[in-house]
Amino acid sequence: MPPTDPYEGEQPPVPPPADDAGERDDAAGERPVVPPADTARDSSAEAEAGDGPTDDRAADRAEDLVGELAEEDARPLRAGEQVRLEDPKGRRHMVTLEPGKTFHTHRGGLLLDELIGQPEGIVVKTSGGVPYLALRPLLSDYVLSMPRGAAVVYPKDAAQILVAADIFPGAHVIEAGAGSGSLTCALLRAVGPDGRVSSYERREDFAAIARRNVERFFGGPRDNWELTVGDVVTAPTRPRVDRVVLDMLAPWDCVTWAAEALVPGGVLCCYVATTTQLGRVVETARAFGGFTEPIATETLLRTWHVEGLAIRPDHRMIGHTGFLMTTRRLAPGVSAPRRQRRPAPGAYGENYDGPRPAGEIF
């Protein structure tokens, strides 16, 4: 172990000799050493603070900041809202604020009345003294904790869909496969109040779950959202829509319908789970001929550990969840230019039984 004395093993430095003025005593008018202003303020602050815990001083400062918030900026937490509670280990809990209720943990209870009326971003303690950070949940928090029927579209994939399909304010989007409503929430936010989302779900039980989740997230029904129990291929193709998003088992069955429903330049986006599904929907869109060359992507999300000099990838990551295929509708009667490429050996060999691109030069 290193020596505790920094000068152990060597001669300590010799201070410079004092000048004549420094040899004068107090009676002779020696000037006292005055600490810098910042140091003096720090010392006085420490003296006033005493030996109390730092958490208490931080809590007092937080109360001062709360008092400084303007009423329109505070957005106090209201009864019936959901709040995200995070403990010192980073574990998160979604809790609905109900007057008179207690959130119980293995380290004591937390009175929810202490949160109602307070701004988000405060720290509250359980009866056992464990601090919890309280914030309103983000959409990503809500998606991962919502009741599920079908599997949810993960936030990383929903983000890619919004950008790859170019979901813009005011757009009319048809979504097939509402599932649990996670992607629906993202689409409704993206199209804004002037846009419209028409969702289709074959299973009535999934549709009921999606409706509850969406209405709970937005605080009630949405005027610009319509949920239909049924097959999307029965949906009217007029007026044409800006975007079609298919999250279903066999999206290739809907390619012809999507071509009729989309405006020229509109985007078809398909979300599938397996490579066989991806291959079939891509080849079906190619063979149809009324779309641009499909683009197939996958998104992998990896967080990083950053602490001083220890900067490395986290040991866990969100790997494969699904594939995206995006393509754009051409004008009626127009086919994409022939692709001149050399496919991989055996790509369309005798063992391939799927759709074959028309007019290709191999």
Side-chain angles (χ1 to χ4, degrees), residues 178-348:
S180 297
S182 60
L183 180 59
T184 309
C185 292
L187 293 173
L188 284 168
R189 271 190 164 183
V191 302
D194 297 328
R196 185 167 188 80
V197 176
S198 301
S199 301
Y200 290 81
E201 174 55 55
R202 289 180 175 180
R203 293 185 51 169
E204 190 170 353
D205 54 340
F206 287 175
I209 293 173
R211 187 180 299 278
R212 286 196 299 269
N213 286 336
V214 172
E215 292 183 355
R216 185 179 188 185
F217 179 75
F218 287 103
R222 301 284 292 184
D223 295 334
N224 61 340
W225 180 47
E226 181 182 5
L227 176 60
T228 302
V229 178
D231 197 330
V232 70
V233 296
T234 64
T237 57
R238 299 293 185 275
R240 297 182 187 271
V241 299
D242 301 296
R243 306 290 185 260
V244 171
V245 180
L246 304 178
D247 175 15
M248 55 196 306
L249 184 63
W252 49 87
D253 291 338
C254 303
V255 169
T256 301
W257 169 87
E260 290 293 325
L262 281 168
V263 299
V267 178
L268 169 63
C269 179
C270 300
Y271 180 65
V272 295
T274 67
T275 55
T276 52
Q277 290 174 298
L278 178 66
R280 185 160 181 181
V281 71
V282 166
E283 295 296 352
T284 301
R286 280 190 184 135
F288 181 82
F291 291 96
T292 60
E293 174 66 11
I295 299 174
T297 62
E298 179 190 20
T299 302
L300 307 177
L301 179 64
R302 181 174 70 179
T303 57
W304 279 67
H305 172 91
V306 179
E307 187 177 11
L309 296 178
I311 302 177
R312 54 169 175 76
D314 280 329
H315 298 306
R316 300 176 62 184
M317 66 177 292
I318 302 176
H320 171 75
T321 49
F323 299 104
L324 289 183
M325 187 280 288
T326 54
T327 183
R328 300 188 68 181
R329 180 69 170 105
L330 302 177
V334 176
S335 297
R338 294 185 303 173
R339 300 281 294 188
Q340 297 187 14
R341 64 177 182 272
R342 180 177 297 174
Y348 296 101

Side-chain angles (χ1 to χ4, degrees), residues 2-69:
T4 56
D5 185 353
Y7 300 114
E8 183 175 333
E10 60 179 271
Q11 292 296 326
V14 179
D19 56 14
D20 293 341
E23 293 176 352
R24 290 180 297 177
D25 56 14
D26 292 342
E30 180 182 3
R31 290 174 293 179
V33 178
V34 180
D38 291 343
T39 305
R41 284 196 296 270
D42 293 344
S43 300
S44 62
E46 292 177 1
E48 293 177 4
D51 296 329
T54 305
D55 289 345
D56 292 343
R57 293 199 296 271
D60 294 340
R61 178 55 182 158
E63 292 180 1
D64 294 340
L65 291 175
V66 170
E68 296 171 5
L69 287 174

